[in-house]
Amino acid sequence: MMIAEAILQSVTQLPPFPAVIQRVLELVEDPKTSAHDVVEVIQYDQSITANVLMVCNSAYFGLRRPVHSLSDALVRIGFNNLVELILTRGTAFLFYQSCQGYHLQRGELWRHSVACAILSQILSERVKQKKSPVQFTAALLHDVGKIVLSEFVKDHFDEIHRRVQEKKQSFLEAERETLGIDHAELGGKIAESWKFPRNISTGIRYHHTPFLAGEFQDLVALVYLCDVVAMMTGIGGGADGLSYHGYKEIMEQYDLKDRDLEKVISELEGGMKRVEGLLNLQ
């Protein structure tokens, strides 16, 4: 069996994506969806409901009065915060494991993913995009391909590293040349297998190659920027680190200067500090 075939076969061994979270993603794509439609879907999932109420009543939100129901949570923290909370808590099972192929210890990929999700909300304002749960989700899940590819990268790391060092390939190109597929393309395939909306699967697939994104260019460019800024800060960089091609055209497209990135990184640091309590909840 070719390596790429074995990799694709491994996708079937991933745990199924939670059906309730999948339904929430479908709902936020529909402009006719109301906040109460989302509450209606998740209120029957005891685990998600308990998690949401636990976090709402933690120091993370610092509410003066306790939250006793999802409807109450909706009123108190708002629709976007509620959806982001559901997505963040509902996908932790995927990302908290170690990824040895990328030299990421347990929790590091999760921290990188959360940092990118936070950055999507910070950067959306600066690039004049309306904040949405879709941006948050695509940024949060952009590295899902690493979860499957990690073991294969570990087994072929010397060859990948040689290509990066001697042939000056990006880590993505070296993965593709060595394994027959890279983590971004694989992530897109995983998202498609989970029946994600096409804009989210596209954001995942092209987060290192934003100019190939086609109709979802703005979303993919945003996810690309989130990933780059998170890696610049050293959050979850791992073995691949900054071994990727940079596209100054995107910085120019959105008129982002070094001072803008400094402000963004400062805001990210504040956001990560606030969310630490959320990450550490069991």
Side-chain angles (χ1 to χ4, degrees):
M1 181 183 293
M2 299 287 288
I3 298 175
E5 293 176 3
I7 291 168
L8 292 174
Q9 183 64 33
S10 295
V11 171
T12 63
Q13 298 172 18
L14 279 175
F17 198 78
V20 171
I21 306 294
Q22 195 166 340
R23 179 59 181 147
V24 168
L25 290 177
E26 293 171 358
L27 285 172
V28 298
E29 277 288 281
D30 187 347
K32 297 178 182 178
T33 295
S34 71
H36 291 285
D37 291 332
V38 174
V39 169
E40 183 73 21
V41 167
I42 64 176
Q43 66 183 345
Y44 299 109
D45 188 298
Q46 293 176 330
S47 175
I48 292 176
T49 298
N51 265 302
V52 168
L53 296 182
M54 178 174 63
V55 176
C56 284
N57 290 317
S58 73
Y60 176 71
F61 282 108
L63 300 178
R64 293 183 179 181
R65 291 183 290 109
V67 171
H68 298 292
S69 69
L70 290 175
S71 295
D72 194 13
L74 176 62
V75 171
R76 304 283 290 284
I77 69 175
F79 176 69
N80 278 357
N81 275 331
L82 179 61
V83 171
E84 289 168 12
L85 178 55
I86 292 165
L87 293 170
T88 304
R89 294 293 295 178
T91 57
F93 76 99
L94 280 171
F95 290 96
Y96 214 80
Q97 61 191 285
S98 64
C99 286
Q100 295 182 9
Y102 295 94
H103 298 179
L104 293 168
Q105 299 304 310
R106 188 172 184 269
E108 287 188 296
L109 182 60
W110 181 225
R111 279 178 54 80
H112 176 75
S113 302
V114 171
C116 288
I118 293 171
L119 282 165
S120 74
Q121 305 303 279
I122 297 171
L123 281 165
S124 60
E125 292 183 353
R126 294 185 179 273
V127 300
K128 295 181 173 56
Q129 291 185 28
K130 184 180 178 181
K131 286 184 182 181
S132 77
V134 168
Q135 298 163 335
F136 187 92
T137 305
L140 181 71
L141 301 179
H142 74 283
D143 268 343
V144 67
K146 286 186 175 181
I147 296 167
V148 171
L149 208 60
S150 176
E151 285 301 307
F152 297 91
V153 169
K154 183 179 71 173
D155 292 342
H156 297 85
F157 186 81
D158 289 344
E159 173 61 17
I160 293 171
H161 185 66
R162 184 187 68 79
R163 289 179 179 275
V164 171
Q165 294 296 312
E166 296 179 9
K167 296 191 174 183
K168 306 302 178 186
Q169 292 182 333
S170 70
F171 203 92
L172 195 79
E173 292 166 338
E175 280 181 340
R176 193 183 309 118
E177 290 289 327
T178 305
L179 304 175
I181 194 168
D182 59 68
H183 72 270
E185 181 183 357
L186 182 62
K189 290 182 180 296
I190 292 170
E192 289 167 0
S193 74
W194 281 336
K195 303 293 190 282
F196 280 10
R198 201 158 66 86
N199 51 4
I200 293 176
S201 61
T202 300
I204 294 170
R205 182 186 294 265
Y206 297 109
H207 72 270
H208 284 299
T209 52
F211 293 112
L212 301 179
E215 63 182 301
F216 302 117
Q217 174 72 42
D218 285 342
L219 172 64
V220 179
L222 179 65
V223 176
Y224 163 80
L225 285 171
C226 294
D227 190 37
V228 168
V229 174
M231 286 193 290
M232 286 171 60
T233 67
I235 300 176
D240 47 338
L242 290 172
S243 300
Y244 294 101
H245 295 315
Y247 298 100
K248 65 178 182 180
E249 297 93 334
I250 291 182
M251 296 284 288
E252 294 169 351
Q253 175 183 341
Y254 295 112
D255 195 28
L256 290 171
K257 305 290 193 301
D258 288 346
R259 63 177 179 274
D260 296 312
L261 293 183
E262 289 171 4
K263 291 178 182 177
V264 166
I265 290 171
S266 178
E267 288 184 50
L268 172 62
E269 290 173 354
M272 288 300 288
K273 285 178 181 177
R274 287 191 299 273
V275 87
E276 285 296 339
L278 175 62
L279 291 175
N280 291 332
L281 288 172
Q282 297 302 310

